[in-house]
Structures are given as C-alpha cells and as structure tokens.
Amino acid sequence: MAEADTVAPSESPTIRSIGAVHDRGFQTILSLKFNKANTAFPAPGSAAMANELARLDRVLPLVLGTVDIVTIGNEPFIESMPAQRDERLNAFYETVARHVIDARAELCGDDCATHLYLGALNRLDLPQNRTAAVERFLAFARETPEIEGVDLHPHVPDEARVQAFLDYTLPRLRADQTFLMTEFSLVWYWQEHMTDPVPAGFADRYGYAPDTQVWEVIGEAIEEPFPSRKWNDLLSESPWFEGKKHVLSDVMGQLRSTGRLAVATYGFAQIPSMTSGWSATKPPWLLNSVYASLTVQARGEAMSTPTYAWLEDFRRLQ
C-alpha cells in the first residue's frame, strides 16, 4: 500500500502483473500490505486514517472484481511496532476491513468475484504469540459475515508446528469459514543447520576442508552460482535436508485433511533479499524455493534450475 503514494496504482508493477496473470486465466490472490514497522497506527476517525482509506480507494477499483482473493493485511503482527500490537492494531485493521467490505459492495455488488480474508498470522505455534490482540483479530474475522477466513504463515522448525496453527485457529472461526496458507516453510529448521559441517563426501569431492560450514558454501553459491549437480549434492547429502524433501506433500496432507483449506501457495523462486547480507545467522529463506534462481547456474537464457527436492512434489500437488 505504501507504493500507492509514489506510483499511480494503475502503473503499479504488482497490480499490472496480477491483472495480466488474471487475463491469462489464472486465479489470483493479492495481499494488502500496510507496513507500520516504524510508525504508529492511525486512530479511526483521524486525518491520518482518512489518508489511509483514501490511498486504499485508489487501489480497490483496480482489483475488486478481478482478483479472486484479497487478503486484508499481510503480516500485521510483524509489520508493526511491538508496543502497538494491541487494540490499536485491531482498530486499524477492523476499520480497513469494513472499508474494503463497503467498497466491494459498491463497486461490484453482492455477486462480486473477489473473496475477502484477513491476514496473515505468524508463529501461533508459540504460546506467547496467542495474545489478546490475536484473539480479537480472529473474533473479528469470525463475527464479520463478509470475511471468509484468515491467512496463516507458518514458518516453523518442524511440521508438527503447522498442526499447532490449525488447532489454535480453526476452532476460533465459523464452521463455514476456510483458511489460506499463502506462505509456509521449515526455514527455522534450516537455520539450525547452517553451522553444521558440510557432508564429508561433498567436502572430499569438491575440495573443502572438513570443518567448512554449510552457510559458507551457500555463500560461495551466492557469489558465483554453482552447477546444479554441486548444489544438489550439497543438499541431498545433508541428512537434515534430504530427510525433509517431501515436506510439501506432508504439509499439504495436513492442510487438506481439515476439509477447510481454500488455497495454499509456496515460494517459487529465490529473490535478492534472500541473499543480501548473507551470514551464518541470516534466515536461509533461499532453501525454501522451488527454483534456485540465484544460487545455481541457469540452464539457458531465462531458464532457472529447480532445487531437486521440491519440484516433483510441487508438480504432483497441482
């Protein structure tokens, strides 16, 4: 949403791209991201809130009736100042949600093709994150008929923690509501293994000292992308990665077994923010991606190489 102050929404690369994808027959989801990490939430009725809603009114006519799902919010409990993650957060998102609901009714009527969700919730596997504000967030979703459910983002250290999200969230929604999972991964599990030594066979084959750590080799691939065989050898010979190569199927089985999954999506390509400032402690989001577009040599012009572990299950799950 912040982009709308500097780029006309009709010229926004995000909105133009999602419109083009829609025109090609694909279904689409757009999250409305309000980044308040460095600023307080405006109070309902204030001039600052009026500015927020005016900005929203420049975006909504371009997406309502076109985008299949609009998620109101991205990650509110991360994209906010910690001291503001209370009723002030709730009041802001409730005001925005009611405005979107009213705009949808006005712009495309009762049979509008765009479905509305609230999003997204993070680290609900940790009891300290199940706050009064989270409870109110879910209560608002439950009590607002036009909201069809919530988005969940479980980036967790093991698959069992995904179930914790579901066990906490679903009983707090209406029985007719569903959920999105537009992000999920085992990134914190990968993080635990960045300082492991590389596999002995890999070290011997590629000439690394036995005490070379995984993050150091990944850093080399960031600086000068590897041939796909070398990248895949690093991962497939690491038991902590190889043992999780069916995580997409495992998690999708969990989600579908609820009978209430609307949509799940998964990270497709590595992006520059995943590699900038690489270190032993930087979260290794790049290991999630289906395509190793930045750490593996391209197969030809504009042809990224898939990470061996994810592509087969990703295709089958379609």
Side-chain angles (χ1 to χ4, degrees):
M1 292 302 303
E3 179 189 86
D5 284 340
T6 56
V7 178
S10 60
E11 301 300 318
S12 160
T14 298
I15 293 176
R16 289 169 69 98
S17 294
I18 206 168
V21 169
H22 168 82
D23 291 344
R24 290 168 56 199
F26 290 94
Q27 293 178 294
T28 54
I29 304 171
L30 180 69
S31 295
L32 301 174
K33 176 186 174 99
F34 300 87
N35 194 342
K36 301 298 179 185
N38 299 305
T39 185
F41 288 109
S46 67
M49 180 61 85
N51 288 338
E52 293 280 355
L53 301 181
R55 183 184 302 115
L56 198 56
D57 285 338
R58 298 197 294 273
V59 172
L60 293 178
L62 302 174
V63 300
L64 293 175
T66 301
V67 175
D68 294 278
I69 294 173
V70 166
T71 303
I72 301 165
N74 181 53
E75 293 180 336
F77 290 90
I78 290 179
E79 296 162 354
S80 55
M81 295 190 292
Q84 292 257 315
R85 294 169 189 167
D86 53 23
E87 67 275 3
R88 290 166 290 187
L89 180 152
N90 296 119
F92 175 81
Y93 280 95
E94 289 166 13
T95 300
V96 168
R98 291 190 184 100
H99 192 84
V100 174
I101 289 166
D102 291 345
R104 184 180 66 164
E106 180 179 346
L107 292 169
C108 59
D110 295 336
D111 59 348
C112 186
T114 299
H115 303 263
L116 301 180
Y117 285 73
L118 287 185
L121 296 170
N122 306 84
R123 293 314 306 261
L124 293 181
D125 54 306
L126 300 176
Q128 64 265 34
N129 291 332
R130 300 174 181 181
T131 64
V134 169
E135 289 282 351
R136 177 170 162 177
F137 193 87
L138 290 167
F140 177 80
R142 179 179 66 248
E143 294 164 6
T144 306
E146 297 87 354
I147 300 296
E148 297 188 31
V150 296
D151 192 5
L152 305 175
H153 285 181
H155 297 290
V156 291
D158 64 75
E159 297 94 321
R161 301 289 190 94
V162 176
Q163 192 62 47
F165 268 73
L166 302 175
D167 291 344
Y168 176 76
T169 305
L170 295 185
R172 288 167 170 78
L173 298 177
R174 300 190 308 269
D176 66 320
Q177 286 179 305
T178 55
F179 68 95
L180 314 175
M181 197 166 280
T182 54
E183 295 183 23
F184 64 93
S185 79
L186 297 184
V187 68
W188 306 123
Y189 178 69
W190 313 143
Q191 178 78 81
E192 293 170 2
H193 293 280
M194 288 299 95
T195 55
D196 287 3
V198 295
F202 177 88
D204 288 344
R205 190 176 314 115
Y206 292 102
Y208 289 98
D211 60 351
T212 304
Q213 296 181 356
V214 170
W215 76 272
E216 295 176 295
V217 177
I218 292 175
E220 289 186 14
I222 290 169
E223 292 298 320
E224 187 171 345
F226 287 172
S228 60
R229 181 173 180 177
K230 184 176 180 180
W231 180 253
N232 289 336
D233 283 351
L234 171 66
L235 299 179
S236 65
E237 294 175 25
S238 298
W240 53 268
F241 191 88
E242 172 69 11
K244 298 294 188 180
K245 69 179 180 180
H246 294 301
V247 68
L248 293 187
S249 292
D250 294 343
V251 171
M252 287 300 296
Q254 287 178 286
L255 306 185
R256 289 173 171 169
S257 70
T258 66
R260 297 175 67 181
L261 173 66
V263 183
T265 63
Y266 189 75
F268 200 63
Q270 295 170 345
I271 58 175
S273 62
M274 296 176 179
T275 60
S276 62
W278 182 253
S279 70
T281 57
K282 182 179 173 69
W285 300 104
L286 56 79
L287 293 183
N288 294 335
S289 304
V290 175
Y291 276 82
S293 45
L294 298 179
T295 56
V296 176
Q297 296 170 6
R299 294 176 291 163
E301 187 176 355
M303 290 289 285
S304 297
T305 300
T307 295
Y308 84 97
W310 310 137
L311 189 59
E312 183 179 340
D313 281 7
F314 187 89
R315 284 174 166 158
R316 184 168 57 246
L317 288 164
Q318 301 308 306

